[in-house]
């Protein structure tokens, strides 16, 4: 089977956007918050939004199960406040849960967390626990920069984050390190902020003993690991210069890369330099790039083709990338036989 | 001949560091600034610092000419203020000039600019002009984030930067887009901030019509273009989704990548996806990574080996990467016959 570890619900019902707009404007204008009960999202509307997009692509591309989370750009931890971030996260996570119930064979849930700039991640623990224990989710998305492009909170390796990590370890769920939108005009979200977030997180892990403290803590770095595999020699060299252990020992038991890299040469490089055990199939559908590559005639984000086109992989390697690694990193995945 | 377009003077005389420390502390403590006349850096000391490092590597690796600039990490535009940034830049640039005079066959100068967070780049025009017209420099380093990791100034494509660009066009010199040190604990300088700066600048260029305004403006994006070549499919796809022209038309007449990528698979990818006309040989010596790669037995930053080891390059291609492109991008290079 083929498990896509990185999909977002980016085709949400319109009323969800209306609610979020009302909510963030109410915070700005100090007017009453919109009632959650006013949200109108029918099962039919949700079905239509999924059937015409994520499910269609699963069928067309022959993938089976998507590890599915709310739209990353819309997490918007820099908007509103701690209270609205919590309500917004609950709503988005519950919506993912509805989709997982409507299509239990096709989707497994991953939650966003109610982060807020400057607010202790301790505030995210209860929602993580709810999503895993009550909704059956298999992981979470963790935003390393709740300030949305100004990077004001401590690095991911600071004890600041440990309450969430301890809960992740306790529940045996990984986090995908995933920024949200950028309110910094320097950073285009999907073209710069996302990729920078990935690169930044990896370098933070390289510098720290986080995984000595928490040896079973696991992160997936999306978008093929940002710049990291392309600069693997730089990172091996930096680790050596800084008297850190070799990367295999330092972090490759804990850090994994997805395959959201949208051309064959990029995937070839990823597979060449990163151990096959550390690569999880993903497409980020429906996500950052939605068009067809005129050079190939296929969707840029149809990443299955690149894995299948990559030289040097055995069928056992491909089985790890498509399925085995995901089951290992997300052990709560109840995979449909 | 082989031109290395990216070298820094990272083996400076000790008294330079003493001066800078005194200077930045004087600003902090509001005490008198140290006098420039107090700086003690003899020709012998400079010679020794170069002979044992940059020149030694040139000889060992068989490269001929390095386009040479002050230590990037030490530009520290976020330290001190506009006035001290100007004096510090002049001192560092004059030091590069001394080296170019001591070794005119081996080094061509590139200046740092007296940038300061929130201060108009207009303040950098005079120093750029002085370095090119009086010191014979061939280019400049432009810091896209003078705030040192908080990204508070406008994007590189904002009119804010046009005074420097107009002077660059006027003088026919390129800029290398190069951040300095990071005072943001999230970003390790050479492991995250540098690479993020490269990726960020490219995406800013992709979104703008800067090169329609200034068709002869030229930038070198160092460190192999950050994450960009690895995600070339993503960038082609984003440009297409955003209804931008194809990247070749949009920016490849103006934007170039260096070869500071420290392993063979990275260079192979760079050469595979980026047109050979847009690649300039560079090693960043003595720079970010100083050790020997245990997998190869050679220095990580001995990038000439990777270019020579890359499949599919003709000798004409290699001549462009090693020499021809640099002469085209840096037309003021007075190359020793």
């Amino acid at each position: 089977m083929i498990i896509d570890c990185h999909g977002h619900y980016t085709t949400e019902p319109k009323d969800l956007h209306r609610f979020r707009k009302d909510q963030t404007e109410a915070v700005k204008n100090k007017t009453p918050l919109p009632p959650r009960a006013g949200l109108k999202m029918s099962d039919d509307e949700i079905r239509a939004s999924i059937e015409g997009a994520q499910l269609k692509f699963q069928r067309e591309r022959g993938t089976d199960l998507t590890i599915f989370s709310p739209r990353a750009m819309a997490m918007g931890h820099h908007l509103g406040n701690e209270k609205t971030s919590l309500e917004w996260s609950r709503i988005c996570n519950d919506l993912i849960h509805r989709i997982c119930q409507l299509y239990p064979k096709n989707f497994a849930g991953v939650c966003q967390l109610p982060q807020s700039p400057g607010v202790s991640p301790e505030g995210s623990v209860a929602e993580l626990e709810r999503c895993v224990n009550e909704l059956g989710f298999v992981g979470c998305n963790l935003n390393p920069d709740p300030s949305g492009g100004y990077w004001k909170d401590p690095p991911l390796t600071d004890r600041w984050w440990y309450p969430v990590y301890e809960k992740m370890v306790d529940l045996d769920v990984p986090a995908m390190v995933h920024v949200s939108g950028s309110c910094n005009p320097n950073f285009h979200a999907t073209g710069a902020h996302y990729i920078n977030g990935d690169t930044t997180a990896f370098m933070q892990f390289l510098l720290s003993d986080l995984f000595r403290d928490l040896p079973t803590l696991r992160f997936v770095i999306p978008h093929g690991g940002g710049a990291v595999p392309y600069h693997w020699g730089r990172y091996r060299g930096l680790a050596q210069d800084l008297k850190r252990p070799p990367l295999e020992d330092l972090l490759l038991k804990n850090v994994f890369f997805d395959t959201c890299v949208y051309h064959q040469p990029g995937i070839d490089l990823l597979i060449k330099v990163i151990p096959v055990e550390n690569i999880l199939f993903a497409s980020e559908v429906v996500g950052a790039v939605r068009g067809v590559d005129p050079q190939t005639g296929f969707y840029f984000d149809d990443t299955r083709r690149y894995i299948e086109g990559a030289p040097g992989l055995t069928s056992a390697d491909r089985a790890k990338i498509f399925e085995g690694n995901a089951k290992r990193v997300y052990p709560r995945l109840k995979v449909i036989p």
Side-chain angles (χ1 to χ4, degrees), chain A:
Chain A
M1 78 179 297
I2 296 185
I3 302 172
D4 182 335
C5 81
H6 185 181
H8 296 296
Y9 188 31
T10 47
T11 51
E12 315 96 322
K14 255 190 270 175
D15 203 45
L16 186 74
H17 297 293
R18 189 272 314 156
F19 176 90
R20 177 61 165 169
K21 189 161 171 271
D22 288 355
Q23 190 202 42
T24 51
E25 288 191 353
V27 173
K28 219 182 297 169
N29 304 329
K30 298 184 180 164
T31 53
L33 293 169
R36 179 168 177 178
L39 252 174
K40 300 274 175 270
M41 303 184 290
S42 70
D43 280 0
D44 280 352
E45 199 181 356
I46 293 171
R47 266 195 211 98
S49 75
I50 289 280
E51 292 275 355
Q54 291 83 356
L55 262 187
K56 179 170 96 69
F57 287 122
Q58 276 193 3
R59 287 184 194 122
E60 283 176 11
R61 301 181 187 180
T63 64
D64 300 291
L65 179 76
T66 300
I67 298 181
F68 204 52
S69 59
R71 185 196 289 260
M73 190 99 79
M75 295 190 298
H77 296 117
H78 56 286
L79 302 170
N81 55 38
E82 191 180 355
K83 183 182 161 194
T84 56
S85 187
L86 178 58
E87 182 162 60
W88 175 238
S89 296
R90 282 190 179 150
I91 289 169
C92 292
N93 293 333
D94 286 347
L95 187 55
I96 295 295
H97 180 53
R98 280 174 74 184
I99 295 166
C100 295
Q101 287 187 301
L102 288 170
Y103 302 99
K105 295 191 180 183
N106 301 95
F107 297 101
V110 152
C111 60
Q112 74 179 52
L113 296 174
Q115 300 177 245
S116 208
V119 173
S120 166
E122 198 143 11
S124 292
V125 169
E127 178 63 3
L128 173 60
E129 203 160 21
R130 182 184 80 91
C131 288
V132 174
N133 285 338
E134 296 175 29
L135 309 185
F137 282 21
V138 301
C140 60
N141 289 336
L142 183 69
N143 184 349
D145 173 29
S147 72
Y150 289 97
W151 293 88
K152 290 179 183 167
D153 280 346
L156 285 179
T157 47
D158 193 279
R159 291 196 165 263
W160 172 259
W161 299 93
Y162 275 39
V164 176
Y165 296 163
E166 284 158 3
K167 184 52 67 181
M168 283 166 56
V169 165
D170 184 33
L171 296 169
D172 203 13
V173 295
M176 180 171 280
V177 179
H178 205 309
V179 297
S180 183
S182 157
C183 59
N184 185 328
N186 280 286
F187 303 128
H188 183 270
T190 51
H193 191 43
Y194 279 29
I195 307 293
N196 293 349
D198 305 334
T199 308
T200 299
F202 182 86
M203 188 64 202
Q204 293 175 357
F205 296 145
L206 189 156
L207 294 170
S208 106
D209 290 324
L210 174 61
F211 303 120
R212 207 153 65 186
D213 284 0
L214 298 165
T216 61
L217 185 66
R218 297 182 303 283
F219 293 103
V220 178
I221 303 189
H223 321 110
V228 172
Y230 175 50
H231 285 287
W232 198 239
R234 189 178 190 88
Y235 290 103
R236 287 196 293 109
L238 281 169
Q240 182 174 293
D241 284 2
L242 295 165
K243 317 275 183 232
R244 304 291 301 154
L247 298 179
E248 301 75 50
D249 305 332
L250 176 59
L251 47 70
L252 285 180
K253 288 177 193 72
N254 307 83
V255 174
F256 302 85
F257 300 95
D258 83 7
T259 66
C260 295
V261 178
Y262 296 153
H263 62 153
Q264 188 70 54
I267 290 290
D268 292 352
L269 174 113
L270 172 69
I271 283 172
K272 193 158 198 177
V273 303
I274 303 298
V276 79
E277 285 71 24
N278 291 76
I279 302 173
L280 274 67
F281 174 70
S283 66
E284 203 184 352
V285 164
V286 178
V289 175
R290 304 192 178 198
V292 168
D293 185 347
Q295 292 182 9
T296 65
F298 298 107
Y299 283 100
F300 280 105
D301 63 6
D302 186 357
T303 53
R304 178 178 171 180
R305 292 180 181 277
Y306 310 135
I307 309 294
E308 283 171 349
L313 284 182
T314 64
S315 62
D317 291 337
R318 273 194 296 270
K320 286 182 188 171
I321 293 172
F322 282 136
E323 178 180 358
N325 295 338
K327 288 183 177 170
R328 194 158 44 85
V329 174
Y330 295 84
R332 284 181 174 259
L333 216 47
K334 282 173 198 68
V335 179
I336 314 306

